[in-house]
Amino acid sequence: MESAENNLRRLDKGKYEIDVKGYSCPYPEVIARRSLEEMNSGEILVLKTDNKPSSERVPAALKEEGHESQGVEQKGEALWEIKIRKK
Amino acid sequence: MVEDNLKSIELDVDDLRKFKLRYSLGQDDGRNSRHFLRIKVTEGAITSRQLVEVARLSDQYGRGKAWVTDRQSIQLHWIEGKHATDIFSRLEGIGFTTDKCGQAYPKPGYGDLRNVCTCPVAGFEKGEQINVKPLAEEINEFFVGNEDFLDMPKKFKISISACDIDCARSQMQDLGFFYLEKDGEPGFGAVIGGAMGIAKPGAVTGKPLNVFIKPEDVFEVSKKMAEIHRDYSNTEEVAKARFKWLVHEWGAEKVRDKLEDKLGRKLERHEYSGPKISGREHVGIQEQENGKYFVNIPLIGGGISSEALREISKVSEKYGTGDIRTTPYQNLILLNISPDELETSLETLKDAGLSVKGSRTRWESVACAADFCANSSQYRPKRALRSIIDYLEENIGDELSDFKVNIGISGCPRDCGLLKASDIGMLAVSPGENGIDSEKYMPHLGGEFGEDARFADRLPDSKSVDELKGSIQNLIEEALDEGYNNIRDLYADRTTQELIEIAEMGEG
């Protein structure tokens, strides 16, 4: 499974996407955290994962650090998009 | 910080790429634990120094607790994702990895080879014909981090033992090697497609491959069998993605033919149904081939504090050689204890709260970690098991010492506690409102591995732990009164209805 886990891609002003398909826990959370470190406050991160538990756990873990979940969307049988706003 | 005119940012993830193939965290969903860390203790072998580092990790990240699993791993809970890279670095520093357990992918895929269950006293047991540790080591070293085998339809489980009790339980593995002699030549038989859980076609014991496998062929057979699973097991439906489904659909003969195609030669035919004896632990204190002793510390459910891990490490260093083993019965073994220092080592362990006394049942019973699991977090099988064993030892006394009866307790039908293959199995059905004794379980009787392998029969009525203590006591005492030293002799001698009446397990 290919992914671009090092490529924090800018979708739009203030919105970034990173693809972590193929990564099991805890990597989606770790990569999300590293992505947010590179972003400005208030900007949105979209995390694409095929790991279902990550779709629940990543928002919860990042929320504890003050970031805001903007929702999780299932895009396919094995694809979720997690949106997080950086605190 | 990101500037407005940049299109994308390149993250530094080299460390994660390095770890990705060998480390992960599993999902917990109970006791406020989000993740568990399953430290893959390959061949069950851990040194005293490695154990001390595990104790440190437990203190720092796992609330000072650890559990030995029935695949000889050591599991820590309450692990946070933000600590993952530090934890993985430290595990790497002591030479351990994890497997890719508990990921709950919705489709088949990402299956890896799990810890190879290995006889923990391999290389030391008296009368041993084959030391399986190097064989298991070769398999583990090949598969760990091997990208060609990290995306199988589902996990793949192998065991190997050459002891005469097949302690590594070959019949519940995707591929299980057990000791066999052919015309006086030591080697292995193999069974395939065994598994205890609910994935299709349900719980099933491994089918005999009916070939004689020489020790030097174990690695190739393992590799080729994993290839068969990778290349031919179902990739459309998760419920059919385990190897057992392929074995069910093809039959063992066709799998054998495919194996021989891949090996490029025929294996020697040898008929068998499976190991004669299986599913027994190396209990208590036993003399090794080299005149020293191993000491098996029963943990009941595998739970141990970091403090106790450190005490065990000290005893091993002081009175042994620093060599310790995890067992498939959730226990820990200290190897190479000098005869002169055996008594002192036992006293030291006792002072640390680690008794090496008790009934055989204490060593041979297992319970799952239901309390951390989404399916069953309201249950406490390990506590139930301890409560039952303590009760039986107190109320039956010395007669229970060498009596053979094992108990397996599971929180859900996935049956990680092996209830179906236990003399007395218990499946959780309702939580206790007044402590562990009120927790309710559905009793099962008569499961076993070996030449008479069968799954336990479910009885009609669920009972509380408190009621089950009395019922189990009744069964054991009836067996003892008959002069039996194994509950299976009683089972062979009575109908199910008679057993229910003895145990007073009828509708209450």
Side-chain angles (χ1 to χ4, degrees), chain A residues 10 25 27 38 50 57 64, chain B residues 2 4 27-28 34 110:
Chain A
R10 187 175 184 223
C25 284
Y27 302 103
E38 297 296 323
D50 56 354
R57 309 231 170 190
E64 285 172 8
Chain B
V2 176
D4 271 354
Q27 305 304 318
D28 267 341
R34 202 173 274 159
Y110 301 120

Side-chain angles (χ1 to χ4, degrees), chain B residues 110-150:
Chain B
Y110 301 120
D112 63 333
L113 193 101
R114 296 301 167 88
N115 202 18
V116 176
C117 264
T118 314
C119 175
V121 295
F124 298 94
E125 196 190 16
K126 261 189 161 180
E128 171 185 89
Q129 296 298 312
I130 303 172
N131 177 3
V132 297
K133 187 175 181 295
L135 304 181
E137 203 169 335
E138 189 179 8
I139 298 169
N140 277 318
E141 277 181 6
F142 174 78
F143 281 98
V144 167
N146 187 331
E147 284 189 87
D148 290 339
F149 294 94
L150 289 175

Side-chain angles (χ1 to χ4, degrees), chain B residues 10-226:
Chain B
E10 192 170 328
L11 297 177
D12 178 10
V13 293
D14 284 346
D15 58 336
L16 303 186
R17 285 194 180 122
K18 184 181 69 160
F19 288 144
K20 174 191 178 185
L21 301 181
R22 293 171 297 134
Y23 297 95
S24 69
L25 294 180
Q27 305 304 318
D28 267 341
D29 202 351
R31 295 184 69 176
N32 294 316
S33 175
R34 202 173 274 159
H35 298 291
F36 65 87
L37 176 76
R38 184 178 290 167
I39 303 168
K40 202 167 176 174
V41 181
T42 46
E43 304 91 55
I46 185 165
T47 65
S48 52
R49 289 186 185 190
Q50 289 170 324
L51 199 65
V52 165
E53 182 59 17
V54 170
R56 283 196 200 113
L57 283 170
S58 167
D59 279 333
Q60 196 166 352
Y61 299 117
R63 300 191 187 179
K65 294 190 196 317
W67 282 264
V68 180
T69 74
D70 62 10
R71 289 199 79 77
Q72 299 171 279
S73 297
I74 296 178
Q75 211 151 277
L76 308 184
H77 293 271
W78 298 290
I79 305 299
E80 295 291 333
K82 62 188 174 190
H83 301 134
T85 49
D86 177 51
I87 292 169
F88 296 161
S89 292
R90 287 165 67 175
L91 279 185
E92 189 178 45
I94 56 172
F96 287 137
T97 62
T98 73
D99 57 36
K100 293 175 74 172
C101 50
Q103 298 299 323
Y105 286 105
K107 290 163 63 165
Y110 301 120
D112 63 333
L113 193 101
R114 296 301 167 88
N115 202 18
V116 176
C117 264
T118 314
C119 175
V121 295
F124 298 94
E125 196 190 16
K126 261 189 161 180
E128 171 185 89
Q129 296 298 312
I130 303 172
N131 177 3
V132 297
K133 187 175 181 295
L135 304 181
E137 203 169 335
E138 189 179 8
I139 298 169
N140 277 318
E141 277 181 6
F142 174 78
F143 281 98
V144 167
N146 187 331
E147 284 189 87
D148 290 339
F149 294 94
L150 289 175
D151 192 18
M152 295 190 282
K154 266 296 197 179
K155 58 194 168 189
F156 196 75
K157 296 182 176 181
I158 297 177
S159 79
I160 181 163
S161 49
C163 55
D164 59 6
I165 53 174
D166 184 33
C167 65
R169 303 190 194 96
S170 56
Q171 291 160 307
M172 61 172 262
Q173 314 292 333
D174 293 302
L175 171 62
F177 295 95
F178 59 92
Y179 182 71
L180 190 70
E181 277 182 21
K182 184 173 187 291
D183 303 324
E185 181 186 349
F188 298 95
V191 284
I192 56 170
M196 304 298 286
I198 54 176
K200 290 183 180 181
V204 59
T205 53
K207 305 283 180 292
L209 217 45
N210 287 325
V211 291
F212 178 72
I213 298 168
K214 297 177 193 238
E216 58 265 31
D217 291 332
V218 163
F219 171 72
E220 278 303 313
V221 168
S222 300
K223 182 167 169 257
K224 299 303 179 196
M225 200 64 81

